Amino acid sequence: MISCSKIDNDAPKQYVRIMGKGSWGYNDEKGNVIIPLGKYKFLNPLDEKGMILAELKNKHGYIDIHENVIVPFDYDDINLFSQDFACVKKDNKYGFVDRNGKIVISIQFEDETYFQKTGLALVKKNKLYGFINKQGKEIIPIIYQNANEGTTDSLISLSKKGKWAFFDSFGKQKSDFIYDEIALTNITIDGEGESTFWKNGLILVRKNKQISYLDKNLKEVIPFGKYNTGERFNNNRIAIVSKNHKYGIIDEFGKERVKPEYDAIEHPEESYHESEIFVAKKGTNLVLLDEHGKKIYDNIKDFSFDYCRINKKIEKIYHVQDLNGKYGAVNTKGKLIIPVIYDEFQDFGSNYNAIVKYKGKFGLIDSDNKTAYPIENESIYSVDRRDLDYYVIKRNNKYGVIDKNLKPIFNFDFQDLSPCFYDTKNRFIAKQNDKFGVIDRAGRIIIAFEYSEMSNWVEYGPGENYHFVTKDNKHGLITREGKTVIPVIYDSLFYDSDKIIILSKNGKYGVVTIQNKQVIPFMYEKIYLEPSFFSKKKETEFYVLKNGKYSIINDKNEVIKSDLSKNEVENKFSYYYN
């Protein structure tokens, strides 16, 4: 058999997939265009055989790096190759092609599928399930109501008349149809997620409202009725079980690693996924158990995960809170490394030091519980512990800043000090002599100390390029460099959006944009506006008061409706504005 793909011995070994507007292409390692943008709606990375799954004019196929068509663009969808076969879709039916683009199993099935390592593929036809081999032969007839397969072992489960039975990958039936449920579980092999019936330890089955655990030969290791409930075995070959509403942990030999004596046992969430360790609950007390069910620490109210540097290595630790509300930390072996004495204890976050509160004062400790910075401050905080740069400290009602190496950046000369949200590493809003300004990390004044109020960036504010400011009880808007945008001359300022800022001066209200372009002239005694996130109207409407009468106008200052009831308007906006 002659392959359609070409081998170019002089071709670069590396190709870079590139994305354009609505199309994909490839360059070589030197940046030369190999497959230009503008032709293919999608291109997948090259697979191990040098083939690229591609989409062209809403059809799918495979090409090589030279755009030789290997699998023609005849299909509505096509999958990645598995066991050198790819599932294709055409006219809402599925079949298989080989790496030469030849249809090897006719397009006849109702769901997409893959060939697994067992050499079988689960297929659906006429709403029934079965298994075929790579020759298209039905190894298990397509006559069953449902089916499951493990990707790493040779067992298969099939259901008939609401009951499940085991088969092997050769099609031999291994049990009667007696089970109400046969559990398939997840396993990680070489970093890849797979599914298995028994490779984690034992198989969980349910029959007549009772559970049992079977070994790979389908022999009962844990008999029906011994436990009321049970979970699947995990990667560490243990499982949570319960009896008489009490929970414990068993291993694959049926031994109780943790006796069923707890009100609950579960895997806590760690970094948005289920942790391998366990937390057990008895009354109001929690117990931490490691991934093998061994006790780490007990008699705690709460805990959390953290990482710190111990002997120059980053290691996992657990913050624990005792029943009196005090905090400390233990390592993964259960050794107490930070005594449980602190009123507050923030994460190390993989750093050398952590912020603690003790007897009402704040300071820093290291992983040996040595004081790294005196615990004698009114507050300490860092902007981002994962990318620690400095600490902002308040002491004796004055603020200063030290870097992550505990060296001073600013002395305690400021009445207030907070990082500018638009540049947290380099700029700070500071207060001296009751006036606010902006300084950089070197202490240079960026915005002079002349304002009684100065906003930091907020999500629903004017963005990162501006500060709202107040001076002599007047309001305005300046840039982050201190340039005046809206003069600081207004009695009130309400920001709705960059297109609508309501201002008042000498008892008259108007509207401007963030560039200080006038939208509504300053001729009204009041202007009200439904906040944009409440209003469902396409056209912006302003409720205005002029000569004692309320009207509705648009953003062209044209009257939409006049002679509104005073009570109606003022009741409507009583919660929004003064």
Side-chain angles (χ1 to χ4, degrees):
M1 184 175 292
I2 300 173
S3 171
C4 297
S5 60
K6 297 181 179 179
I7 298 175
D8 186 351
N9 292 324
D10 297 325
K13 293 182 179 180
Q14 298 295 324
Y15 296 97
V16 180
R17 192 169 60 128
I18 55 174
M19 181 177 65
K21 187 176 181 180
S23 69
W24 292 72
Y26 269 89
N27 290 347
D28 67 17
E29 58 190 355
K30 297 179 181 179
N32 299 312
V33 175
I34 303 299
I35 301 177
L37 293 171
K39 182 176 181 180
Y40 298 99
K41 188 174 180 180
F42 178 75
L43 292 174
N44 212 51
L46 280 99
D47 69 13
E48 69 276 11
K49 299 289 180 68
M51 296 174 65
I52 304 169
L53 188 155
E55 182 178 352
L56 178 66
K57 297 178 181 179
N58 295 321
K59 293 292 183 180
H60 298 77
Y62 272 86
I63 60 173
D64 65 16
I65 196 64
H66 303 290
E67 297 189 75
N68 295 307
V69 175
I70 304 172
V71 178
F73 290 89
D74 292 339
Y75 303 106
D76 302 320
D77 201 0
I78 190 168
N79 287 344
L80 299 178
F81 278 93
S82 174
Q83 302 296 304
D84 285 331
F85 279 22
C87 183
V88 295
K89 179 183 180 182
K90 192 171 185 178
D91 299 328
N92 285 320
K93 296 290 185 180
Y94 296 84
F96 288 91
V97 297
D98 65 14
R99 284 192 176 273
N100 293 297
K102 180 182 177 182
I103 296 177
V104 289
I105 297 176
S106 62
I107 299 172
Q108 57 181 299
F109 303 112
E110 293 167 11
D111 278 344
E112 65 178 341
T113 184
Y114 298 88
F115 275 98
Q116 305 291 358
K117 296 173 185 177
T118 58
L120 300 184
L122 170 62
V123 293
K124 181 181 180 184
K125 194 172 181 180
N126 299 322
K127 298 183 180 181
L128 297 174
Y129 294 87
F131 287 84
I132 60 171
N133 64 14
K134 293 173 72 172
Q135 289 73 46
K137 181 181 177 182
E138 292 184 20
I139 300 300
I140 296 177
I142 308 173
I143 60 173
Y144 296 98
Q145 294 171 320
N146 210 339
N148 282 312
E149 60 179 333
T151 59
T152 62
D153 48 49
S154 59
L155 283 178
I156 290 164
S157 62
L158 295 155
S159 74
K160 183 172 65 174
K161 296 180 180 179
K163 297 292 184 179
W164 290 82
F166 287 99
F167 286 69
D168 66 20
S169 58
F170 300 102
K172 183 179 179 181
Q173 187 169 341
K174 304 292 287 184
S175 78
D176 294 330
F177 285 88
I178 58 173
Y179 301 107
D180 299 313
E181 180 184 1
I182 296 174
L184 196 63
T185 188
N186 298 321
I187 188 171
T188 301
I189 299 178
D190 297 328
E192 296 292 328
E194 303 280 0
S195 60
T196 180
F197 287 100
W198 57 266
K199 285 195 173 180
N200 276 342
L202 298 174
I203 308 167
L204 171 63
V205 295
R206 181 171 56 85
K207 182 174 67 173
N208 300 327
K209 298 183 180 181
Q210 293 185 326
I211 67 156
S212 171
Y213 287 95
L214 316 178
D215 65 16
K216 64 180 180 180
N217 298 313
L218 309 184
K219 179 182 177 182
E220 286 185 18
V221 177
I222 310 290
F224 285 99
K226 182 170 183 178
Y227 297 106
N228 301 123
T229 66
E231 295 187 358
R232 295 168 172 85
F233 272 71
N234 64 20
N235 280 356
N236 295 308
R237 309 179 79 80
I238 55 178
I240 299 171
V241 294
S242 76
K243 188 170 184 66
N244 300 325
H245 305 292
K246 295 295 181 182
Y247 291 81
I249 297 173
I250 59 170
D251 65 19
E252 62 187 303
F253 304 106
K255 180 181 177 182
E256 291 182 348
R257 295 274 185 93
V258 176
K259 293 187 179 299
E261 59 183 7
Y262 294 98
D263 300 327
I265 298 179
E266 61 183 20
H267 292 285
E269 187 174 281
E270 177 185 6
S271 300
Y272 305 104
H273 68 273
E274 192 177 78
S275 173
E276 285 194 332
I277 71 165
F278 302 86
V279 57
K281 183 178 182 181
K282 184 183 286 187
T284 59
N285 295 2
L286 299 182
V287 178
L288 288 182
L289 307 170
D290 70 12
E291 64 270 27
H292 305 294
K294 184 180 178 181
K295 186 181 293 184
I296 300 173
Y297 205 75
D298 61 3
N299 291 320
I300 58 175
K301 181 179 180 181
D302 203 358
F303 81 101
S304 62
F305 298 93
D306 190 15
Y307 291 84
C308 71
R309 293 181 182 269
I310 300 176
N311 298 324
K312 297 184 178 181
K313 292 183 179 180
I314 295 177
E315 296 188 19
K316 180 187 288 188
I317 62 171
Y318 307 107
H319 288 229
V320 294
Q321 182 186 25
D322 70 11
L323 302 179
N324 296 314
K326 299 297 184 182
Y327 293 88
V330 297
N331 65 15
T332 56
K333 305 298 182 185
K335 179 183 177 182
L336 190 68
I337 61 171
I338 304 294
V340 187
I341 60 173
Y342 295 104
D343 303 315
E344 293 181 22
F345 179 15
Q346 297 184 20
D347 289 350
F348 282 94
S350 300
N351 297 300
Y352 286 104
N353 302 310
I355 299 169
V356 294
K357 182 181 181 182
Y358 182 67
K359 294 184 178 180
K361 296 293 184 180
F362 290 86
L364 299 173
I365 60 169
D366 64 18
S367 59
D368 293 322
N369 195 41
K370 293 179 180 177
T371 300
Y373 194 81
I375 306 175
E376 56 187 35
N377 307 284
E378 290 148 42
S379 68
I380 297 182
Y381 73 89
S382 59
V383 174
D384 186 357
R385 285 189 291 275
R386 293 186 179 277
D387 187 21
L388 181 65
D389 191 30
Y390 57 80
Y391 300 94
V392 179
I393 303 173
K394 182 181 181 183
R395 182 193 303 165
N396 300 324
N397 286 319
K398 293 286 187 176
Y399 287 84
V401 178
I402 60 174
D403 67 19
K404 63 182 178 181
N405 298 313
L406 313 184
K407 304 296 183 184
I409 296 176
F410 296 128
N411 293 324
F412 291 85
D413 297 329
F414 300 97
Q415 294 167 284
D416 200 356
L417 197 63
S418 59
C420 291
F421 283 3
Y422 55 74
D423 189 357
T424 57
K425 288 188 178 295
N426 300 303
R427 291 197 182 187
F428 299 81
I429 295 177
K431 185 178 183 182
Q432 279 187 329
N433 300 319
D434 297 324
K435 300 296 182 184
F436 287 95
V438 174
I439 58 176
D440 67 12
R441 193 184 182 103
R444 291 186 290 262
I445 297 175
I446 307 300
I447 298 175
F449 288 86
E450 57 183 79
Y451 301 103
S452 56
E453 294 178 0
M454 177 178 284
S455 71
N456 215 335
W457 177 85
V458 291
E459 184 177 358
Y460 298 108
E464 62 182 26
N465 293 312
Y466 303 94
H467 294 280
F468 289 124
V469 290
T470 303
K471 182 178 180 180
D472 300 327
N473 292 320
K474 301 295 182 180
H475 306 278
L477 182 70
I478 63 175
T479 70
R480 58 195 284 180
E481 306 304 330
K483 181 180 177 181
T484 297
V485 180
I486 296 175
V488 190
I489 59 174
Y490 293 98
D491 300 320
S492 68
L493 182 155
F494 173 79
Y495 174 89
D496 177 75
S497 68
D498 286 0
K499 294 181 180 180
I500 300 173
I501 300 176
I502 301 174
L503 303 169
S504 73
K505 182 182 178 185
N506 300 326
K508 296 296 183 182
Y509 284 77
V511 177
V512 301
T513 69
I514 201 167
Q515 290 82 28
N516 201 30
K517 181 181 177 181
Q518 184 171 280
V519 178
I520 303 295
F522 285 80
M523 57 187 292
Y524 297 102
E525 292 136 40
K526 276 288 186 182
I527 296 180
Y528 295 121
L529 173 73
E530 283 189 283
S532 54
F533 48 85
F534 289 150
S535 179
K536 297 179 181 179
K537 296 174 182 177
K538 294 182 179 179
E539 184 179 38
T540 303
E541 294 182 352
F542 299 93
Y543 290 71
V544 297
L545 176 66
K546 185 179 180 182
N547 299 325
K549 294 183 178 181
Y550 281 102
S551 304
I552 299 176
I553 63 172
N554 62 19
D555 58 8
K556 297 179 179 61
N557 200 32
E558 298 169 339
V559 176
I560 299 172
K561 189 176 180 180
S562 59
D563 296 327
L564 299 179
S565 163
K566 177 181 178 181
N567 287 338
E568 175 189 350
V569 175
E570 293 186 354
N571 288 337
K572 179 181 180 69
F573 294 102
S574 61
Y575 296 103
Y576 301 150
Y577 314 113
N578 294 324

